[in-house]
């Protein structure tokens, strides 16, 4: 199929998005309760030096309004691909972080003539019982309590690696808790609901593009069990380790950037 014959996604893109840089296309898929700026902001300049970056915000994050309908994996993958195409990218790699990993996998299997490579960080194919327990507790804290500091504390305890958290001063902790509700996008419960329903295990053998799985080895939210499951299921996938918790953009942004850029520039 020639470049001019590539299929165009059905939906008209509606998501707000960040567009930066020049060069080969790179589509960003962020995590639940995150957003493009929170999850990729610390490495955006570095990515934009090498790629034309398109980063859509899921419904209820950034500039994208929350939707009334439940999110679906197909719908979210279609929206992200539509955003990239609308910005002039015919083909592109996709990097998915956390919930963005199964979104990226689904995009690769739905649009095999557009997606050229995958980088999956701190990702999962489907929740196991332990992970589902965490996402449901997180969602309940948001929907059933009026405790912004408690929600923030829960996220910090699961998000940061123990060595990083152990180095926090009381001033650091107090400032984090004071941020409270301001750090929780309104669409977070919808993202967590989708995370609870995700299952791309059957998609993994159908991924045919070069894939790098970055295992955040100190992650207590999406544990290395899930990262290995992704790598084992995707034919020819490369697995590499990054000694960080679930927030590499806070803990080891430069190393995370270097892994992504090194892999994507090697397979372009």
């Amino acid at each position: 199929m020639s470049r001019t014959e590539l299929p165009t996604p059905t939906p008209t893109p509606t998501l707000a998005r960040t567009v930066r840089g020049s060069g080969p296309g790179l589509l960003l898929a962020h995590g639940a309760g995150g957003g493009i700026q929170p999850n990729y902001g610390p490495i955006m300049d570095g990515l934009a030096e090498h790629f034309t970056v398109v980063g859509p915000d899921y419904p209820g994050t950034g500039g994208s309004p929350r939707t009334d309908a439940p999110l679906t994996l197909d719908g979210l993958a279609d929206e992200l691909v539509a955003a990239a195409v609308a910005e002039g990218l015919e083909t592109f790699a996709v990097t998915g972080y956390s919930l963005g990993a199964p979104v990226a996998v689904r995009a690769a299997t739905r649009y095999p003539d557009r997606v050229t490579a995958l980088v999956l960080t701190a990702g999962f194919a489907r929740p196991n019982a332990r992970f589902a327990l965490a996402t449901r507790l997180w969602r309940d804290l948001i929907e059933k309590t009026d405790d912004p500091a408690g929600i923030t504390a829960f996220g910090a305890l699961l998000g940061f690696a123990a060595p990083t958290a152990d180095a926090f001063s009381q001033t650091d902790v107090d400032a984090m808790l004071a941020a409270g509700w301001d750090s929780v996008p309104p669409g977070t419960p919808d993202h967590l609901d989708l995370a609870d329903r995700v299952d791309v295990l059957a998609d993994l053998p159908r991924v045919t593009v070069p894939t790098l799985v970055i295992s955040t080895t100190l992650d207590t939210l999406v544990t290395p069990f899930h990262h290995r499951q992704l790598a084992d299921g995707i034919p020819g996938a490369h697995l590499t380790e990054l000694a960080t918790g679930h927030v590499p953009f806070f803990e080891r942004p430069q190393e995370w950037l270097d892994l992504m850029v090194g892999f994507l520039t090697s397979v372009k």
Side-chain angles (χ1 to χ4, degrees):
M1 183 177 289
S2 72
R3 291 172 66 86
T4 57
E5 295 172 328
L6 288 170
T8 300
T10 301
T12 299
T14 62
L15 299 179
R17 50 197 179 268
T18 299
V19 182
R20 293 278 306 279
S22 61
L26 179 61
L27 177 62
L28 310 182
H30 67 74
I36 291 302
Q37 183 57 37
N39 290 173
Y40 288 102
I43 62 170
M44 185 65 73
D45 288 345
L47 292 175
E49 289 179 7
H50 302 273
F51 309 104
T52 300
V53 180
V54 177
D57 285 302
Y58 300 167
T61 64
S64 298
R66 189 176 182 182
T67 180
D68 293 331
L71 298 179
T72 68
L73 197 61
D74 285 353
L76 201 52
D78 289 352
E79 276 277 6
L80 264 63
V81 170
V85 172
E87 295 298 336
L89 300 183
E90 293 186 347
T91 60
F92 39 85
V94 186
T95 175
Y97 161 71
S98 193
L99 175 61
V103 174
V105 167
R106 183 57 55 86
T109 56
R110 284 175 72 80
Y111 300 95
D113 296 301
R114 290 198 180 276
V115 176
T116 59
L118 294 177
V119 177
L120 311 175
T121 303
F124 59 98
R126 70 178 178 189
N128 59 9
R130 179 188 183 279
F131 179 45
L133 180 65
T135 58
R136 291 167 189 169
L137 178 56
W138 187 2
R139 188 170 66 242
D140 284 349
L141 282 169
I142 294 172
E143 294 182 324
K144 299 179 181 180
T145 68
D146 184 19
D147 183 14
I151 296 166
T152 303
F154 177 79
L157 287 171
L158 283 182
F160 289 100
T164 300
D166 285 340
F168 289 158
S169 68
Q170 188 60 51
T171 300
D172 295 331
V173 172
D174 290 344
M176 189 184 308
L177 297 183
W181 191 255
D182 290 340
S183 64
V184 181
T188 299
D190 308 324
H191 307 166
L192 295 174
D193 174 69
L194 176 60
D196 202 30
R197 295 181 279 109
V198 158
D199 188 346
V200 295
L201 279 179
D203 295 62
L204 301 183
R206 298 169 50 214
V207 174
T208 60
V209 297
T211 300
L212 175 67
V213 176
I214 300 176
S215 176
T216 44
T217 58
L218 303 177
D219 199 329
T220 58
L221 179 59
V222 184
T223 61
F225 164 85
H226 295 282
H227 317 151
R228 289 191 296 269
Q229 189 173 56
L230 284 172
D232 290 345
I234 297 174
H238 299 274
L239 177 68
T240 192
E241 296 183 342
L242 185 60
T244 177
H246 195 64
V247 288
F249 39 87
F250 285 135
E251 295 186 53
R252 295 188 178 273
Q254 188 60 52
E255 292 96 324
W256 188 34
L257 173 66
D258 290 344
L259 287 173
M260 281 195 278
V261 171
F263 177 75
L264 291 174
T265 55
S266 73
V267 299
K268 66 180 180 180

